[in-house]
Amino acid sequence: MRRLPRGFYRRDSRELAPLLLGKVLIVGRRRARIVEVEAYAGTEDPGSHAYRGQTKRNAVMFGPPGHLYVYFTYGMHWCANVVSSVEGVGQAVLLRGAAPIAGLEEMRAARPAARRDRDLCSGPARLCQALGIGPSEDGADLVRPAPGGPWLADDGTPPPLEPAVSTRIGLTRGAEHPWRWYIAGDPNVSR
DNA sequence: ACCGGGATGTTCT
DNA sequence: GAACATCCCGGTG
């Protein structure tokens, strides 16, 4: 289990996103393999929180790469992004789906509504709930993680040679760009 | 299986 | 006021 170095994140979000497929997100004893991601391309991307420039909410997106941008939406859900590119450019990759690997008892306790294990992390807000990611993880450094804090690992599993591609989910503006990547056929991909 | 609606509060117009 | 990078539940087939 090798921690991903800062340089790994220092690329365009549309290049980084498919490279995150197969990587392992770790929070405490809970581990899940990323199977679905979306790229958000910064101030030129109408679908991105960064489109209208830096605000208090999206400030982490404009910071250095390799940090977690966590935001609140629909009055009740938290979603997590990996900040990419370089400082000053508001790019990030949304984590939309993951396959539970370890700490499943903790995940089930955190997600009582999940009827099957494939429902634990199959969605951006589900994934955060299962792993215990919330406002206190906004800005967390994945390269030099706090004890028990979130980090990303490479366990030798290569990203898929030809990941499935589609348009992004849930957007009205910027919905035409094919910036969603996922592992075809994986049951942990969101519906 | 699929579909429709409600929850809930921050952010922006 | 409206929109929102969503999820859950209860209806019907």
Side-chain angles (χ1 to χ4, degrees), chain A residues 52 55 57-58 72-77:
Chain A
R52 316 222 178 246
T55 65
R57 177 206 205 188
N58 65 20
F72 185 64
T73 191
Y74 286 103
M76 61 192 94
H77 298 302

Short mmCIF file of all heavy atoms in Angstrom, two decimals, chain A residues 52 55 57-58 72-77, chain B residues 1-2 6-13:
data_model
loop_
_atom_site.label_atom_id
_atom_site.label_comp_id
_atom_site.label_asym_id
_atom_site.label_seq_id
_atom_site.Cartn_x
_atom_site.Cartn_y
_atom_site.Cartn_z
N ARG A 52 -17.64 30.27 -11.09
CA ARG A 52 -17.77 31.70 -10.79
C ARG A 52 -16.63 32.22 -9.94
O ARG A 52 -16.75 33.25 -9.29
CB ARG A 52 -19.10 31.98 -10.10
CG ARG A 52 -20.26 31.25 -10.77
CD ARG A 52 -21.50 32.09 -10.89
NE ARG A 52 -22.54 31.35 -11.58
CZ ARG A 52 -23.02 31.69 -12.77
NH1 ARG A 52 -22.54 32.74 -13.41
NH2 ARG A 52 -23.97 30.98 -13.33
N THR A 55 -14.64 31.17 -3.85
CA THR A 55 -15.50 31.63 -2.76
C THR A 55 -15.05 30.92 -1.49
O THR A 55 -14.16 30.08 -1.51
CB THR A 55 -16.98 31.29 -3.02
OG1 THR A 55 -17.12 29.86 -3.02
CG2 THR A 55 -17.47 31.84 -4.35
N ARG A 57 -16.74 28.74 0.10
CA ARG A 57 -17.11 27.33 0.00
C ARG A 57 -16.09 26.52 -0.78
O ARG A 57 -15.69 25.44 -0.37
CB ARG A 57 -18.48 27.24 -0.67
CG ARG A 57 -18.97 25.83 -0.91
CD ARG A 57 -19.95 25.83 -2.09
NE ARG A 57 -20.88 24.71 -2.02
CZ ARG A 57 -21.72 24.40 -3.00
NH1 ARG A 57 -21.77 25.14 -4.08
NH2 ARG A 57 -22.52 23.37 -2.90
N ASN A 58 -15.68 27.02 -1.97
CA ASN A 58 -14.85 26.21 -2.87
C ASN A 58 -13.35 26.51 -2.74
O ASN A 58 -12.57 26.07 -3.59
CB ASN A 58 -15.31 26.42 -4.31
CG ASN A 58 -15.09 27.84 -4.80
OD1 ASN A 58 -14.29 28.58 -4.26
ND2 ASN A 58 -15.80 28.23 -5.84
N PHE A 72 -21.28 20.48 0.89
CA PHE A 72 -22.60 20.13 1.41
C PHE A 72 -23.65 20.42 0.34
O PHE A 72 -23.60 21.47 -0.29
CB PHE A 72 -22.86 20.97 2.66
CG PHE A 72 -24.13 20.66 3.39
CD1 PHE A 72 -24.33 19.42 3.97
CD2 PHE A 72 -25.12 21.61 3.50
CE1 PHE A 72 -25.49 19.14 4.67
CE2 PHE A 72 -26.29 21.35 4.20
CZ PHE A 72 -26.47 20.10 4.78
N THR A 73 -24.57 19.52 0.10
CA THR A 73 -25.55 19.77 -0.95
C THR A 73 -26.91 19.16 -0.61
O THR A 73 -27.01 18.25 0.22
CB THR A 73 -25.06 19.23 -2.30
OG1 THR A 73 -25.91 19.71 -3.34
CG2 THR A 73 -25.07 17.70 -2.33
N TYR A 74 -27.95 19.67 -1.21
CA TYR A 74 -29.33 19.21 -1.02
C TYR A 74 -29.74 19.20 0.45
O TYR A 74 -30.59 18.42 0.85
CB TYR A 74 -29.53 17.82 -1.64
CG TYR A 74 -29.59 17.87 -3.14
CD1 TYR A 74 -28.49 17.49 -3.90
CD2 TYR A 74 -30.73 18.34 -3.79
CE1 TYR A 74 -28.53 17.55 -5.29
CE2 TYR A 74 -30.77 18.40 -5.17
CZ TYR A 74 -29.69 18.01 -5.90
OH TYR A 74 -29.74 18.08 -7.26
N GLY A 75 -29.10 20.09 1.23
CA GLY A 75 -29.53 20.26 2.60
C GLY A 75 -29.20 19.13 3.54
O GLY A 75 -29.54 19.21 4.72
N MET A 76 -28.53 18.07 3.05
CA MET A 76 -28.27 16.94 3.95
C MET A 76 -27.10 16.06 3.55
O MET A 76 -26.73 15.19 4.33
CB MET A 76 -29.51 16.07 4.05
CG MET A 76 -29.96 15.47 2.74
SD MET A 76 -31.60 14.73 2.84
CE MET A 76 -32.55 16.14 2.28
N HIS A 77 -26.52 16.25 2.37
CA HIS A 77 -25.49 15.32 1.91
C HIS A 77 -24.11 15.99 1.78
O HIS A 77 -24.02 17.15 1.40
CB HIS A 77 -25.87 14.74 0.56
CG HIS A 77 -27.13 13.95 0.59
ND1 HIS A 77 -27.30 12.85 1.42
CD2 HIS A 77 -28.30 14.08 -0.07
CE1 HIS A 77 -28.50 12.36 1.25
NE2 HIS A 77 -29.15 13.09 0.35
P DA B 1 -33.89 -4.73 -9.74
OP1 DA B 1 -32.66 -4.25 -10.22
OP2 DA B 1 -34.31 -5.20 -8.54
"O5'" DA B 1 -35.04 -4.29 -10.76
"C5'" DA B 1 -34.97 -4.74 -12.11
"C4'" DA B 1 -36.19 -4.21 -12.83
"O4'" DA B 1 -37.37 -4.67 -12.15
"C3'" DA B 1 -36.27 -2.68 -12.83
"O3'" DA B 1 -35.73 -2.15 -14.01
"C2'" DA B 1 -37.77 -2.41 -12.77
"C1'" DA B 1 -38.33 -3.65 -12.10
N9 DA B 1 -38.71 -3.46 -10.68
C8 DA B 1 -38.03 -3.86 -9.58
N7 DA B 1 -38.62 -3.56 -8.45
C5 DA B 1 -39.79 -2.91 -8.84
C6 DA B 1 -40.85 -2.34 -8.11
N6 DA B 1 -40.91 -2.34 -6.78
N1 DA B 1 -41.84 -1.77 -8.82
C2 DA B 1 -41.77 -1.76 -10.15
N3 DA B 1 -40.82 -2.28 -10.94
C4 DA B 1 -39.86 -2.83 -10.21
P DC B 2 -35.13 -0.84 -14.27
OP1 DC B 2 -34.46 -0.87 -15.56
OP2 DC B 2 -34.39 -0.57 -13.02
"O5'" DC B 2 -36.35 0.18 -14.34
"C5'" DC B 2 -37.43 -0.04 -15.24
"C4'" DC B 2 -38.61 0.78 -14.75
"O4'" DC B 2 -39.00 0.30 -13.46
"C3'" DC B 2 -38.26 2.26 -14.58
"O3'" DC B 2 -39.04 3.05 -15.44
"C2'" DC B 2 -38.54 2.56 -13.11
"C1'" DC B 2 -39.44 1.41 -12.69
N1 DC B 2 -39.31 1.08 -11.24
C2 DC B 2 -40.34 1.41 -10.36
O2 DC B 2 -41.37 1.96 -10.81
N3 DC B 2 -40.22 1.12 -9.04
C4 DC B 2 -39.11 0.51 -8.60
N4 DC B 2 -39.03 0.25 -7.30
C5 DC B 2 -38.04 0.17 -9.47
C6 DC B 2 -38.18 0.47 -10.78
P DG B 6 -44.39 16.02 -2.66
OP1 DG B 6 -45.82 16.16 -2.36
OP2 DG B 6 -43.68 17.04 -3.45
"O5'" DG B 6 -43.64 15.84 -1.26
"C5'" DG B 6 -43.74 14.59 -0.58
"C4'" DG B 6 -42.50 14.39 0.29
"O4'" DG B 6 -41.42 13.88 -0.51
"C3'" DG B 6 -42.00 15.68 0.94
"O3'" DG B 6 -41.72 15.41 2.30
"C2'" DG B 6 -40.74 16.02 0.15
"C1'" DG B 6 -40.24 14.65 -0.28
N9 DG B 6 -39.46 14.63 -1.50
C8 DG B 6 -39.74 15.29 -2.68
N7 DG B 6 -38.85 15.07 -3.62
C5 DG B 6 -37.93 14.21 -3.02
C6 DG B 6 -36.76 13.62 -3.55
O6 DG B 6 -36.27 13.75 -4.68
N1 DG B 6 -36.12 12.82 -2.62
C2 DG B 6 -36.56 12.61 -1.33
N2 DG B 6 -35.82 11.81 -0.57
N3 DG B 6 -37.66 13.15 -0.82
C4 DG B 6 -38.29 13.93 -1.72
P DA B 7 -41.55 16.60 3.31
OP1 DA B 7 -42.41 16.32 4.48
OP2 DA B 7 -41.64 17.87 2.58
"O5'" DA B 7 -40.04 16.38 3.77
"C5'" DA B 7 -39.64 15.10 4.22
"C4'" DA B 7 -38.13 15.02 4.23
"O4'" DA B 7 -37.62 14.95 2.88
"C3'" DA B 7 -37.45 16.23 4.89
"O3'" DA B 7 -36.57 15.78 5.88
"C2'" DA B 7 -36.70 16.92 3.75
"C1'" DA B 7 -36.48 15.77 2.77
N9 DA B 7 -36.39 16.19 1.37
C8 DA B 7 -37.21 17.08 0.71
N7 DA B 7 -36.89 17.23 -0.55
C5 DA B 7 -35.80 16.41 -0.74
C6 DA B 7 -35.01 16.12 -1.86
N6 DA B 7 -35.20 16.67 -3.05
N1 DA B 7 -34.00 15.24 -1.70
C2 DA B 7 -33.81 14.68 -0.49
N3 DA B 7 -34.49 14.87 0.63
C4 DA B 7 -35.48 15.76 0.43
P DT B 8 -36.49 16.46 7.26
OP1 DT B 8 -35.89 15.49 8.18
OP2 DT B 8 -37.80 17.10 7.57
"O5'" DT B 8 -35.44 17.63 6.99
"C5'" DT B 8 -34.07 17.31 6.93
"C4'" DT B 8 -33.32 18.33 6.12
"O4'" DT B 8 -33.71 18.25 4.73
"C3'" DT B 8 -33.57 19.80 6.54
"O3'" DT B 8 -32.41 20.26 7.21
"C2'" DT B 8 -33.79 20.55 5.24
"C1'" DT B 8 -33.43 19.52 4.17
N1 DT B 8 -34.20 19.64 2.89
C2 DT B 8 -33.66 19.04 1.77
O2 DT B 8 -32.63 18.43 1.78
N3 DT B 8 -34.40 19.22 0.62
C4 DT B 8 -35.59 19.92 0.49
O4 DT B 8 -36.14 20.00 -0.59
C5 DT B 8 -36.10 20.50 1.72
C7 DT B 8 -37.36 21.23 1.70
C6 DT B 8 -35.38 20.34 2.84
P DG B 9 -32.47 21.58 8.08
OP1 DG B 9 -31.93 21.23 9.39
OP2 DG B 9 -33.80 22.21 7.94
"O5'" DG B 9 -31.41 22.53 7.35
"C5'" DG B 9 -30.05 22.14 7.27
"C4'" DG B 9 -29.36 22.97 6.23
"O4'" DG B 9 -29.94 22.69 4.93
"C3'" DG B 9 -29.49 24.49 6.41
"O3'" DG B 9 -28.36 25.11 5.86
"C2'" DG B 9 -30.68 24.81 5.52
"C1'" DG B 9 -30.32 23.93 4.34
N9 DG B 9 -31.37 23.69 3.37
C8 DG B 9 -32.72 23.65 3.59
N7 DG B 9 -33.41 23.40 2.50
C5 DG B 9 -32.45 23.28 1.51
C6 DG B 9 -32.59 23.02 0.13
O6 DG B 9 -33.62 22.83 -0.52
N1 DG B 9 -31.35 22.97 -0.52
C2 DG B 9 -30.14 23.15 0.10
N2 DG B 9 -29.06 23.08 -0.66
N3 DG B 9 -30.00 23.40 1.40
C4 DG B 9 -31.20 23.45 2.04
P DT B 10 -27.50 26.12 6.77
OP1 DT B 10 -27.01 25.43 7.97
OP2 DT B 10 -28.29 27.35 6.88
"O5'" DT B 10 -26.24 26.43 5.82
"C5'" DT B 10 -25.54 25.36 5.23
"C4'" DT B 10 -25.26 25.64 3.77
"O4'" DT B 10 -26.45 25.45 2.98
"C3'" DT B 10 -24.74 27.05 3.46
"O3'" DT B 10 -23.58 26.91 2.68
"C2'" DT B 10 -25.89 27.70 2.70
"C1'" DT B 10 -26.54 26.49 2.02
N1 DT B 10 -27.96 26.64 1.66
C2 DT B 10 -28.37 26.39 0.35
O2 DT B 10 -27.60 26.08 -0.53
N3 DT B 10 -29.71 26.54 0.13
C4 DT B 10 -30.68 26.89 1.04
O4 DT B 10 -31.86 26.99 0.71
C5 DT B 10 -30.20 27.14 2.38
C7 DT B 10 -31.18 27.54 3.44
C6 DT B 10 -28.89 27.00 2.63
P DT B 11 -22.65 28.24 2.38
OP1 DT B 11 -21.28 27.74 2.36
OP2 DT B 11 -23.05 29.36 3.26
"O5'" DT B 11 -23.08 28.63 0.90
"C5'" DT B 11 -23.02 27.64 -0.11
"C4'" DT B 11 -23.59 28.17 -1.41
"O4'" DT B 11 -25.04 28.16 -1.35
"C3'" DT B 11 -23.19 29.61 -1.75
"O3'" DT B 11 -22.68 29.62 -3.06
"C2'" DT B 11 -24.48 30.41 -1.62
"C1'" DT B 11 -25.53 29.35 -1.92
N1 DT B 11 -26.87 29.59 -1.33
C2 DT B 11 -28.00 29.40 -2.10
O2 DT B 11 -27.96 29.06 -3.27
N3 DT B 11 -29.19 29.62 -1.46
C4 DT B 11 -29.37 30.01 -0.14
O4 DT B 11 -30.48 30.17 0.32
C5 DT B 11 -28.15 30.20 0.61
C7 DT B 11 -28.23 30.63 2.04
C6 DT B 11 -26.97 29.98 -0.01
P DC B 12 -21.89 30.95 -3.64
OP1 DC B 12 -20.71 30.45 -4.35
OP2 DC B 12 -21.78 31.94 -2.55
"O5'" DC B 12 -22.91 31.53 -4.72
"C5'" DC B 12 -23.38 30.68 -5.77
"C4'" DC B 12 -24.70 31.20 -6.31
"O4'" DC B 12 -25.69 31.16 -5.27
"C3'" DC B 12 -24.65 32.67 -6.78
"O3'" DC B 12 -24.91 32.73 -8.17
"C2'" DC B 12 -25.71 33.37 -5.95
"C1'" DC B 12 -26.59 32.22 -5.48
N1 DC B 12 -27.31 32.52 -4.21
C2 DC B 12 -28.70 32.46 -4.20
O2 DC B 12 -29.31 32.15 -5.24
N3 DC B 12 -29.36 32.74 -3.05
C4 DC B 12 -28.67 33.07 -1.95
N4 DC B 12 -29.37 33.33 -0.84
C5 DC B 12 -27.25 33.14 -1.94
C6 DC B 12 -26.62 32.85 -3.08
P DT B 13 -24.81 34.16 -9.02
OP1 DT B 13 -24.18 33.83 -10.31
OP2 DT B 13 -24.24 35.21 -8.16
"O5'" DT B 13 -26.35 34.49 -9.28
"C5'" DT B 13 -27.17 33.54 -9.93
"C4'" DT B 13 -28.63 33.98 -9.93
"O4'" DT B 13 -29.14 34.03 -8.58
"C3'" DT B 13 -28.88 35.35 -10.54
"O3'" DT B 13 -29.99 35.26 -11.42
"C2'" DT B 13 -29.21 36.24 -9.34
"C1'" DT B 13 -29.84 35.25 -8.38
N1 DT B 13 -29.74 35.61 -6.94
C2 DT B 13 -30.89 35.70 -6.19
O2 DT B 13 -32.00 35.50 -6.65
N3 DT B 13 -30.69 36.01 -4.87
C4 DT B 13 -29.47 36.26 -4.24
O4 DT B 13 -29.41 36.54 -3.06
C5 DT B 13 -28.32 36.15 -5.10
C7 DT B 13 -26.97 36.41 -4.52
C6 DT B 13 -28.51 35.84 -6.38
#
